[in-house]
Amino acid sequence: MVDVADKLAYFQAITGLEDPDLCTEILQAHGWDLELAISSFTSSNPTSSSTGNSDSEPRQPLLRTESASGSGSGVVAAPPPGLAWKLVTLPISVISGSLGLISGAVGLGLWAAGGVLSYSLGMIGLGSGRGGESSARLVSVSAAASEAMDFVATFEREYGTRRPNFVGEGFMDALQRSRNAFKLLFVYLHSPDHPDSPVFCERTLCSEAVAAFVNENFISWGGSIRASEGFKMSNSLKASRFPFCAVVMPATNQRIALLQQVEGPKSPEELLTMLQRVLEESAPVLVAARLDAEERRNNMRLREEQDAAYRAALEADQARERQRREEQERLEREAAEAERKRKEEEEARERAAREAAEKEAARARMREEKALSLGEEPEKGPNVTQVLVRFPTGERKERRFHSTATIQSLYDYVDSLGCLEVEDYNLVSNFPRVAYGPEKRSLTLKEAGLHPQASLFVELN
């Protein structure tokens, strides 16, 4: 919030009134509404103020580099001093507007109250509404650009198209444009009621030489002192006589550098001489600024290239590291899988060996049990059967059995020998061929026709 002292100082800077009591009374009468008070003051005073300036004794401008007299007035111009960079502090409206250009937010309220807003802010929707429905603040926000465009249209209508190319935007935007273009800002403040203004515009400002020189070397901004921003700039630049021209450039610490001030009518040659001199004297500063900006751009581009190269190298390193990790993880997975398979195979072998050992032990026990179940081999006799068993390997085994022994006893005998690796087999006789399968194992040897002797072979199923 702007306090009372700031409002009073701001109102004095805008209106040029030096009596603080009078300014306080005006502000109190408008409820300390800066916008309303300034609007009321500027709507009633610009013409009278400009007329007073032109008819009364000239005021000494603050820090102007040249004080020129009107043509034919008989007043000799003071000899201009050597060009020094002289700083003119703008009113708080211009300062806050400059801050607004930098930060986009700081000082926007004060800038709106002063009515000096950049055209760019107006274009993003902060301009006045249609049909007078917008607030007073929004109306004043768009005033600077609107006034500048109205001035350009009026000037072209009255003096033609051969003229300085005044930009259709507020003063601060024009100043920023000159900064970006590394050019000086040529300012023309127009007093429509001054008798010297038409001749100066027609013969000097719109002369082919002056217009071409200004358009080539400067950014131009113009304003009428009848309009709000033109009137405020005339107070800011302390314009004491008209026609009034100035050459300014941005400076540091929220100030502008006033390089040349031209007051009163001038011939094209005189104006060109002044502009050429200030351009030559300011050339080193502009060149240094351009070189500095170019160096900053090159440094920024170099940093961006270095950053891009660093990012690319970093991404490549990260990709290689990621690939290395993925390869390592793959190898670890493969090693883990191989170890798992090895353990499974080892466990399977151990299990198979254990099962085989168990099976062999079981078979051994079975052979032993069956051998015990056979009893002692009987001696030869009429009730004893001689049995010959041939194995697939060609091996032969022979044993005597009681004729009352069952065929199952023959199978137990074969099993007890351990000559076969399989358990599924049949005992078969050749002549005649008879297979003694499970259904005949309960028969005795005599019943099966194998007594007194038999020759059998093992047939694997």
Side-chain angles (χ1 to χ4, degrees):
M1 290 294 294
V2 180
D3 58 20
V4 172
D6 288 339
K7 288 184 177 181
L8 180 59
Y10 174 68
F11 185 80
Q12 285 182 293
I14 292 297
T15 60
L17 297 177
E18 299 179 355
D19 188 349
D21 295 333
L22 177 58
C23 293
T24 302
E25 291 178 4
I26 295 175
L27 286 169
Q28 288 176 342
H30 292 85
W32 288 95
D33 188 332
L34 270 174
E35 300 171 30
L36 185 60
I38 293 172
S39 177
S40 176
F41 182 84
T42 56
S43 63
S44 59
N45 285 327
T47 302
S48 61
S49 299
S50 62
T51 304
N53 285 338
S54 61
D55 296 338
S56 62
E57 287 297 324
R59 292 182 286 126
Q60 287 297 324
L62 178 63
L63 293 178
R64 54 181 179 164
T65 60
E66 173 143 349
S67 175
S69 64
S71 60
S73 62
V75 180
V76 179
L83 181 62
W85 300 105
K86 300 181 180 181
L87 303 180
V88 178
T89 303
L90 291 179
I92 192 171
S93 61
V94 177
I95 294 174
S96 61
S98 176
L99 289 174
L101 287 173
I102 298 172
S103 66
V106 180
L108 182 58
L110 294 179
W111 179 256
V116 185
L117 176 74
S118 66
Y119 180 63
S120 59
L121 290 178
M123 292 299 291
I124 63 173
L126 295 180
S128 60
R130 297 182 182 272
E133 295 178 358
S134 61
S135 64
R137 180 177 296 273
L138 291 182
V139 171
S140 64
V141 161
S142 66
S146 177
E147 289 174 3
M149 291 186 288
D150 290 342
F151 170 76
V152 173
T154 302
F155 192 93
E156 185 172 306
R157 185 170 58 251
E158 293 181 358
Y159 302 109
T161 57
R162 191 180 66 186
R163 56 172 177 79
N165 294 328
F166 298 113
V167 295
E169 55 195 19
F171 176 80
M172 290 308 299
D173 270 350
L175 191 66
Q176 185 61 36
R177 182 188 291 267
S178 69
R179 180 196 296 272
N180 296 337
F182 302 102
K183 291 185 177 182
L184 304 179
L185 180 63
F186 176 79
V187 178
Y188 171 63
L189 297 177
H190 184 67
S191 176
D193 299 321
H194 198 284
D196 292 331
S197 294
V199 175
F200 177 76
C201 291
E202 292 176 357
R203 298 181 182 178
T204 300
L205 202 57
C206 293
S207 68
E208 183 176 357
V210 171
F213 185 78
V214 170
N215 292 337
E216 181 179 357
N217 298 287
F218 297 86
I219 299 296
S220 302
W221 181 86
S224 171
I225 63 172
R226 285 183 176 179
S228 175
E229 189 171 30
F231 175 69
K232 294 171 188 176
M233 292 309 303
S234 69
N235 284 324
S236 300
L237 297 175
K238 305 298 182 184
S240 60
R241 298 187 62 197
F242 294 89
F244 179 88
C245 301
V247 178
V248 301
M249 70 178 297
T252 57
N253 299 327
Q254 302 175 357
R255 299 170 180 236
I256 64 170
L258 178 60
L259 308 181
Q260 182 68 51
Q261 193 167 329
V262 182
E263 295 182 295
K266 288 287 183 290
S267 67
E269 292 76 14
E270 290 174 321
L271 183 59
L272 277 175
T273 299
M274 296 177 185
L275 296 179
Q276 287 174 341
R277 185 176 69 251
V278 70
L279 191 64
E280 291 172 358
E281 293 178 348
S282 60
V285 176
L286 296 177
V287 171
R290 183 180 292 106
L291 292 177
D292 183 61
E294 183 66 25
E295 182 179 2
R296 286 197 303 272
R297 283 195 298 270
N298 290 336
N299 291 337
M300 183 178 297
R301 183 168 57 251
L302 179 60
R303 284 196 299 271
E304 290 175 352
E305 292 174 354
Q306 291 174 342
D307 291 343
Y310 172 76
R311 286 193 299 271
L314 181 61
E315 290 175 358
D317 291 342
Q318 291 174 344
R320 285 193 295 270
E321 178 64 19
R322 185 167 55 252
Q323 185 177 3
R324 186 191 65 78
R325 287 198 305 269
E326 291 175 353
E327 181 66 16
Q328 182 177 357
E329 291 173 357
R330 184 185 65 80
L331 294 176
E332 290 176 354
R333 286 195 304 271
E334 291 179 353
E337 181 68 15
E339 180 66 16
R340 184 186 63 80
K341 290 182 177 180
R342 186 191 65 77
K343 288 182 178 180
E344 289 179 354
E345 292 174 356
E346 183 177 355
E347 291 175 357
R349 286 194 300 269
E350 291 177 355
R351 185 169 56 252
R354 188 168 55 251
E355 291 174 355
E358 292 174 355
K359 188 175 181 180
E360 182 61 27
R363 291 177 63 188
R365 286 194 303 271
M366 181 267 295
R367 287 195 299 269
E368 185 177 355
E369 291 173 357
K370 289 188 175 185
L372 291 175
S373 67
L374 292 175
E376 293 293 334
E377 183 178 2
E379 296 294 333
K380 293 180 180 181
N383 294 323
V384 175
T385 303
Q386 186 76 25
V387 178
L388 175 66
V389 180
R390 294 194 303 270
F391 291 89
T393 59
E395 186 177 1
R396 296 183 177 196
K397 294 292 183 180
E398 189 174 359
R399 190 182 191 281
R400 293 184 296 274
F401 295 86
H402 291 287
S403 61
T404 56
T406 62
I407 293 179
Q408 180 63 45
S409 299
L410 301 182
Y411 279 92
D412 293 341
Y413 170 68
V414 172
D415 291 336
S416 68
L417 295 176
C419 296
L420 295 177
E421 297 294 331
V422 296
E423 297 179 359
D424 189 11
Y425 63 92
N426 287 326
L427 294 176
V428 181
S429 63
N430 276 332
F431 303 105
R433 176 179 172 80
V434 178
Y436 299 95
E439 71 280 359
K440 295 181 179 182
R441 291 187 181 185
S442 61
L443 297 176
T444 64
L445 300 181
K446 191 173 184 178
E447 293 172 345
L450 297 178
H451 182 74
Q453 63 180 10
S455 178
L456 302 175
F457 66 90
V458 177
E459 183 179 72
L460 302 179
N461 292 333

